[in-house]
Amino acid sequence: MSYKNPLFTVDSVLFTVQDNTLKVLLVKRAKAPFLGQWALPGGFIDIEQDANTDETAHRKLRDKTGFTPQYLEQLQVISGAERDPRGYSVTLAYYALVAHAPVKARIDSVKIAQWIDVKDLSLHPLAFDHAQIIALAQARLQQKTLYSMIPAFCLPERFTIAQLQQVIETIIEKPIQRKSLMRRIEASEMFTALDEKTSSGGRLAQLYSIKAGADLVNFERNLMAKDE
Amino acid sequence: MSYKNPLFTVDSVLFTVQDNTLKVLLVKRAKAPFLGQWALPGGFIDIEQDANTDETAHRKLRDKTGFTPQYLEQLQVISGAERDPRGYSVTLAYYALVAHAPVKARIDSVKIAQWIDVKDLSLHPLAFDHAQIIALAQARLQQKTLYSMIPAFCLPERFTIAQLQQVIETIIEKPIQRKSLMRRIEASEMFTALDEKTSSGGRLAQLYSIKAGADLVNFERNLMAKDE
DNA sequence: CCAATAGTGTCTGTGAGACAGTATGAG
DNA sequence: CTCATACTGTCTCACAGACACTATTGG
């Protein structure tokens, strides 16, 4: 038996937080369909280069945007006949996090890459069903933020608790208690307090960094931030 | 640009609980490679029949084993050059739950399907990397059991709290408090108490069923069963 | 009656929420 | 000194764990 093999692609939703805003990295499509529209960075697996799909996601992010995420995880496979005008398609979507940095040059086939505020996505027509995929990724990121330190991967090498709190609050769109956050930083054992402090207008703030090779810890309770 | 499209398959890890044992449904392969060995039921997507990969998983389970799961969810994509001797392959693994029932007759290409105790898997040589996929699925099922009522989908239409407790304890391999379970049954609002009780050697037990169209609720805390 | 299983009452423990209070920097 | 931000102490609350207690069946 031999079936028609559908198109298989890998797309990534790369998030960062800048200025208390959750942003997603989009690229302008250089080819039809959806030529010139914003889309998730992604493409076809290259079985010569990619040992697995994680490497495909990394490679496409690197080549199309210049970023290498600090965190990358499978989100979901989306499939169907209607989502790509070229025909039945299967897409493996990843979501990823990186510390904010401006988009550098642009590469080969892609005209331009840009950080776009997730709140402004409705202003931009997105290619394929990429708007839905971003919504899925955002929901997953929000959920995971309630029981893990995943937002730490949106921060630079050295950061303060206040910065981490800001990032968390931006992601879940609710305030949290600094005290709860400190308890979790302690309990997770993911972080090292550096011998360094940073100035921020008042008392100097302790700098932290993620321990090398530290695993993401899952807490047994969610944060339960109140609505506004 | 045109890359070689890798083989894309969909495989399912269908679990059930019987006699306080977690079992997984395996089929004997009817073709090379791994002819005659146990494997997960799965196969290629059929873009004529399957609106998406969920339907592929359902169709393959139905055709190869006769079962229609009460719960089905994507697990993970596994990919690489080494996992299938025929070449680079990409597999979307699902995990699924169903109330126990004996395996019925058998269909077309597949010789036989059978419920196999997950503890006995080491006795059987499994095709491909299916042993690892089952281990992944089991870990996910255990984790999800801590914060949801997902084990209810291993039960028949009508069931008692004691049965649900048994299934949970079998999955997580730890005892839980009946009281905690009752609190969650209440809070989840997923279940209806039927006007019916069943005999089980002592006081009659209340029968419950899953409300039609009830969504799986995620609790904000995990169960925290002690080791043994 | 007793044995067995179903179900409740209620106390403790844990970690999040709330928020007042203290500490330490700059000017 | 004051102001701003960092950090701590400690109370409350919600819900899981523990386990003794009552309830209801069959024999």
Side-chain angles (χ1 to χ4, degrees):
Chain A
M1 80 190 158
S2 97
Y3 296 112
K4 268 193 350 207
N5 228 2
L7 281 177
F8 179 76
T9 56
V10 175
D11 289 326
S12 299
V13 184
L14 180 62
F15 290 111
T16 197
V17 170
Q18 183 203 15
D19 298 337
N20 297 334
T21 318
L22 182 64
K23 309 211 165 182
V24 62
L25 191 64
L26 296 180
V27 295
K28 265 229 166 88
R29 281 187 60 83
K31 297 182 307 190
F34 298 104
L35 176 71
Q37 286 196 28
W38 292 108
L40 295 172
F44 298 98
I45 191 171
D46 178 343
I47 65 177
E48 306 295 331
Q49 285 190 64
D50 307 329
N52 53 52
T53 52
D54 291 18
E55 292 193 9
T56 306
H58 269 110
R59 179 173 58 80
K60 284 291 169 185
L61 280 172
R62 181 170 18 85
D63 292 354
K64 297 206 169 183
T65 74
F67 284 97
T68 298
Q70 290 166 257
Y71 184 83
L72 178 79
E73 187 190 331
Q74 282 188 23
L75 176 63
Q76 185 172 326
V77 168
I78 303 100
S79 54
E82 311 301 332
R83 45 188 305 281
D84 186 326
R86 290 168 295 186
Y88 205 106
S89 69
V90 175
T91 291
L92 170 56
Y94 280 81
Y95 73 107
L97 300 175
V98 76
H100 177 78
V103 177
K104 294 195 271 277
R106 99 237 22 95
I107 333 286
D108 67 341
S109 65
V110 177
K111 288 207 181 78
I112 195 169
Q114 194 178 311
W115 288 114
I116 296 187
D117 188 339
V118 290
K119 306 234 173 195
D120 295 341
L121 284 176
S122 50
L123 308 178
H124 303 274
L126 291 207
F128 307 103
D129 50 4
H130 287 186
Q132 290 167 54
I133 295 176
I134 293 169
L136 271 175
Q138 187 183 357
R140 177 93 138 247
L141 175 62
Q142 286 175 335
Q143 191 55 33
K144 195 146 184 158
T145 295
L146 298 179
Y147 63 82
S148 79
M149 286 299 185
I150 193 172
F153 297 111
C154 288
L155 292 170
E157 183 76 22
R158 299 150 53 236
F159 57 89
T160 67
I161 292 181
Q163 284 178 290
L164 180 52
Q165 184 176 350
Q166 292 279 313
V167 169
I168 291 171
E169 292 179 343
T170 300
I171 291 172
I172 65 175
E173 300 175 324
K174 286 178 184 156
I176 62 163
Q177 293 284 327
R178 177 199 189 80
K179 183 78 189 190
S180 302
L181 178 55
M182 297 203 63
R183 281 190 283 240
R184 288 186 159 205
I185 287 173
E186 267 301 307
S188 70
E189 298 183 353
M190 275 182 64
F191 305 101
T192 324
L194 304 174
D195 297 331
E196 220 175 335
K197 310 209 178 218
T198 193
S199 168
S200 48
R203 174 174 166 180
L204 297 189
Q206 178 66 53
L207 281 169
Y208 291 83
S209 69
I210 302 180
K211 278 186 194 163
D215 281 334
L216 197 57
V217 176
N218 290 342
F219 300 102
E220 292 190 333
R221 298 191 192 177
N222 282 1
L223 294 174
M224 287 170 289
K226 290 284 171 284
D227 309 290
E228 295 312 87
Chain B
M1 80 191 160
S2 97
Y3 297 111
K4 271 197 341 211
N5 228 0
L7 281 176
F8 180 75
T9 55
V10 175
D11 289 326
S12 299
V13 184
L14 179 63
F15 289 112
T16 197
V17 170
Q18 182 203 15
D19 298 339
N20 297 334
T21 317
L22 182 64
K23 309 211 167 182
V24 61
L25 191 63
L26 296 180
V27 296
K28 263 226 167 91
R29 282 187 60 81
K31 297 182 308 188
F34 298 104
L35 176 71
Q37 287 194 27
W38 292 108
L40 295 172
F44 297 98
I45 190 171
D46 178 343
I47 65 178
E48 305 296 330
Q49 286 191 63
D50 307 328
N52 54 51
T53 52
D54 291 19
E55 291 194 8
T56 306
H58 269 110
R59 179 173 56 81
K60 284 290 170 183
L61 280 172
R62 180 169 20 83
D63 292 353
K64 297 206 169 186
T65 74
F67 284 97
T68 298
Q70 290 167 257
Y71 184 83
L72 178 79
E73 187 189 331
Q74 281 188 25
L75 176 63
Q76 184 172 328
V77 169
I78 302 102
S79 53
E82 312 301 332
R83 46 188 304 282
D84 186 325
R86 290 168 295 186
Y88 204 105
S89 70
V90 175
T91 291
L92 169 55
Y94 280 80
Y95 73 107
L97 300 175
V98 75
H100 176 77
V103 177
K104 293 195 274 276
R106 209 24 357 194
I107 333 283
D108 67 340
S109 64
V110 177
K111 287 206 183 79
I112 195 170
Q114 194 177 310
W115 289 113
I116 296 188
D117 187 339
V118 290
K119 306 235 174 193
D120 295 340
L121 285 175
S122 51
L123 308 178
H124 304 274
L126 290 207
F128 308 104
D129 50 4
H130 287 185
Q132 290 167 55
I133 295 175
I134 293 169
L136 272 174
Q138 187 184 357
R140 178 92 138 250
L141 176 62
Q142 287 177 334
Q143 190 56 32
K144 195 146 187 158
T145 296
L146 297 179
Y147 62 82
S148 79
M149 285 299 186
I150 194 174
F153 297 110
C154 287
L155 292 170
E157 184 75 23
R158 296 154 350 119
F159 57 89
T160 66
I161 291 180
Q163 284 178 291
L164 180 52
Q165 183 175 350
Q166 292 279 313
V167 168
I168 292 172
E169 293 180 342
T170 300
I171 290 172
I172 65 175
E173 301 175 324
K174 285 176 184 158
I176 63 163
Q177 294 284 327
R178 176 196 192 82
K179 182 77 187 189
S180 302
L181 178 56
M182 297 202 62
R183 281 190 283 238
R184 288 187 159 203
I185 288 174
E186 266 301 307
S188 71
E189 297 183 354
M190 276 182 65
F191 305 101
T192 323
L194 304 175
D195 297 330
E196 219 175 335
K197 311 211 178 212
T198 192
S199 168
S200 48
R203 174 173 168 179
L204 297 188
Q206 178 65 54
L207 280 168
Y208 291 83
S209 68
I210 302 179
K211 278 185 192 162
D215 282 334
L216 196 56
V217 176
N218 290 341
F219 299 101
E220 292 190 333
R221 298 193 192 175
N222 283 0
L223 293 175
M224 287 169 289
K226 290 286 172 287
D227 309 293
E228 297 310 89

